Amino acid sequence: MANRPPRDPSTNEILERLHKRRARRRLLRIGVSVIVGALFLAAAGLVAAAAFRGASNPAQPNTVGTTTTSVQAAPSSTTLSPGTTHTLPPRPSTTEDPVTTEPPTTQTTQSSGSPGGTAPPSGSVVVIDPGHQRRGNSAQEPIGPGSSQTKAKVSSGTSGVATGVPESELTLAVGLKLRDVLQSQGVTVVMTRTSQDVDISNVQRAQIANQAHADLFIRIHADGSDSSATRGIHVLYPASIKGWTDDIAAPSAQAARMAQPALVAATGAKDRGLDARDDMTGFNWSDVPVILPEIGFMTNPEEDRLLNDPAYQAKIAQALADAAVRFLRERAG
């Protein structure tokens, strides 16, 4: 991986902004702590001085009790309770592309609300990975950290039997629509790619999500089959593998259980259920909750035409956004 290609420029830009905001937030918290500590020491000094005066001059009215009460009524903890987001701690990196270790912080983006009168928690981050790219890369990479088993870095995907549209083009169109919906609801979104002409392996895509400390990583794909009659939607999530995905399997399954019925209800597609997978590189390298919705079969002519209808794509994007926001809210408590 010494010669790995650069990431999509927009992805780097968003990650840099996230890291800068986190650094500013840390400095702000330190400054607030120093100020509150100084105020507390000053208040304690006033209380001690008042107590000394009262002890040395008992004839004067004793106001120590009143002063003490006023100090205790404003504990410093009330000024040190920033909003929180849920982020799983990253595992130590085992690659040349290290996972950043800054603590998660809230973002300044304000929510404009979401369907049903609910809104995502402040500072929520979702990484969207439109599956594949214009040209696949058959070079091999480990299926998981330290594994001797390898798979192609990224395949070229399938294509529409009726439309001729490649899967990578379809997933990018849906991914950009999902980005717009989530951003309109106040979620910070990081895209692994925003164009077709990239070369980003599945390990690198997972690392982008890890470095963003994503609250949810959504990998959008479409299906193919030897039978043109096969159709429907299913959502994949990581099986629990000790040392790899055991820390994200449960929340990933939770997100998948929310996404699958939302997608079926929005599209009317056949419900193909959920699939736990242990053979997917993008799952096994992820340190954050991750799902992979297979949004339909491009080898089914009717479903292929639907998948390439912008209105149908908008239904998929809205359903995924609704499920993601629900997941973010429940994880935040």
CSV table of all heavy atoms in Angstrom, one decimal, residues 233 262-270 306 312 315-316 319:
chain,number,residue,atom,x,y,z
A,233,ILE,N,-34.7,-5.9,-2.0
A,233,ILE,CA,-33.7,-5.1,-1.2
A,233,ILE,C,-33.3,-5.9,0.0
A,233,ILE,O,-34.2,-6.6,0.6
A,233,ILE,CB,-34.3,-3.8,-0.8
A,233,ILE,CG1,-34.4,-2.8,-2.0
A,233,ILE,CG2,-33.4,-3.1,0.3
A,233,ILE,CD1,-35.1,-1.5,-1.7
A,262,ALA,N,-37.5,0.4,6.5
A,262,ALA,CA,-37.7,1.8,5.9
A,262,ALA,C,-37.5,1.7,4.4
A,262,ALA,O,-38.3,2.4,3.7
A,262,ALA,CB,-36.7,2.7,6.6
A,263,LEU,N,-36.6,1.0,3.9
A,263,LEU,CA,-36.4,0.9,2.5
A,263,LEU,C,-37.5,0.2,1.8
A,263,LEU,O,-38.0,0.6,0.7
A,263,LEU,CB,-35.0,0.2,2.2
A,263,LEU,CG,-33.8,1.0,2.4
A,263,LEU,CD1,-32.5,0.1,2.5
A,263,LEU,CD2,-33.6,2.1,1.4
A,264,VAL,N,-38.0,-0.9,2.4
A,264,VAL,CA,-39.1,-1.7,1.8
A,264,VAL,C,-40.3,-0.8,1.8
A,264,VAL,O,-41.1,-0.8,0.8
A,264,VAL,CB,-39.2,-3.0,2.6
A,264,VAL,CG1,-40.5,-3.7,2.1
A,264,VAL,CG2,-38.0,-3.9,2.4
A,265,ALA,N,-40.6,-0.1,2.9
A,265,ALA,CA,-41.8,0.7,3.0
A,265,ALA,C,-41.8,1.8,2.0
A,265,ALA,O,-42.8,2.2,1.4
A,265,ALA,CB,-42.0,1.2,4.4
A,266,ALA,N,-40.6,2.4,1.7
A,266,ALA,CA,-40.6,3.6,0.9
A,266,ALA,C,-40.6,3.2,-0.6
A,266,ALA,O,-41.2,3.9,-1.4
A,266,ALA,CB,-39.2,4.3,1.1
A,267,THR,N,-40.2,2.0,-1.0
A,267,THR,CA,-40.0,1.6,-2.4
A,267,THR,C,-41.1,0.6,-2.8
A,267,THR,O,-41.3,0.4,-4.0
A,267,THR,CB,-38.6,1.1,-2.7
A,267,THR,OG1,-38.4,-0.1,-1.9
A,267,THR,CG2,-37.6,2.1,-2.3
A,268,GLY,N,-41.6,-0.2,-1.9
A,268,GLY,CA,-42.5,-1.3,-2.2
A,268,GLY,C,-41.7,-2.5,-2.8
A,268,GLY,O,-42.3,-3.4,-3.3
A,269,ALA,N,-40.4,-2.5,-2.6
A,269,ALA,CA,-39.5,-3.6,-3.2
A,269,ALA,C,-39.7,-4.9,-2.3
A,269,ALA,O,-40.2,-4.8,-1.2
A,269,ALA,CB,-38.1,-3.2,-3.2
A,270,LYS,N,-39.4,-6.0,-2.9
A,270,LYS,CA,-39.4,-7.3,-2.2
A,270,LYS,C,-38.5,-7.2,-1.0
A,270,LYS,O,-37.3,-6.8,-1.1
A,270,LYS,CB,-39.1,-8.4,-3.1
A,270,LYS,CG,-39.1,-9.8,-2.4
A,270,LYS,CD,-38.7,-10.9,-3.4
A,270,LYS,CE,-38.7,-12.2,-2.7
A,270,LYS,NZ,-38.4,-13.4,-3.6
A,306,LEU,N,-36.3,1.1,-12.4
A,306,LEU,CA,-36.7,1.8,-11.2
A,306,LEU,C,-35.5,2.5,-10.6
A,306,LEU,O,-35.5,3.6,-10.2
A,306,LEU,CB,-37.4,0.9,-10.3
A,306,LEU,CG,-38.8,0.5,-10.5
A,306,LEU,CD1,-39.3,-0.5,-9.5
A,306,LEU,CD2,-39.7,1.8,-10.4
A,312,TYR,N,-37.3,7.5,-7.8
A,312,TYR,CA,-37.1,6.2,-7.0
A,312,TYR,C,-35.8,6.3,-6.1
A,312,TYR,O,-35.8,5.9,-5.0
A,312,TYR,CB,-37.1,5.1,-7.9
A,312,TYR,CG,-37.1,3.7,-7.2
A,312,TYR,CD1,-38.4,3.2,-6.9
A,312,TYR,CD2,-36.0,2.9,-7.0
A,312,TYR,CE1,-38.4,1.9,-6.3
A,312,TYR,CE2,-36.0,1.7,-6.4
A,312,TYR,CZ,-37.3,1.2,-6.1
A,312,TYR,OH,-37.3,-0.1,-5.5
A,315,LYS,N,-36.5,8.3,-3.1
A,315,LYS,CA,-37.2,7.5,-2.0
A,315,LYS,C,-36.2,6.7,-1.2
A,315,LYS,O,-36.3,6.6,0.0
A,315,LYS,CB,-38.3,6.5,-2.7
A,315,LYS,CG,-39.4,7.2,-3.3
A,315,LYS,CD,-40.4,6.2,-3.9
A,315,LYS,CE,-41.6,6.9,-4.6
A,315,LYS,NZ,-42.5,5.9,-5.2
A,316,ILE,N,-35.2,6.1,-1.9
A,316,ILE,CA,-34.2,5.3,-1.2
A,316,ILE,C,-33.4,6.2,-0.3
A,316,ILE,O,-33.1,5.9,0.9
A,316,ILE,CB,-33.3,4.6,-2.3
A,316,ILE,CG1,-34.1,3.5,-3.0
A,316,ILE,CG2,-32.1,4.0,-1.6
A,316,ILE,CD1,-33.3,2.9,-4.2
A,319,ALA,N,-35.4,7.2,2.8
A,319,ALA,CA,-35.6,6.1,3.7
A,319,ALA,C,-34.3,5.9,4.5
A,319,ALA,O,-34.3,5.6,5.7
A,319,ALA,CB,-36.0,4.9,2.9
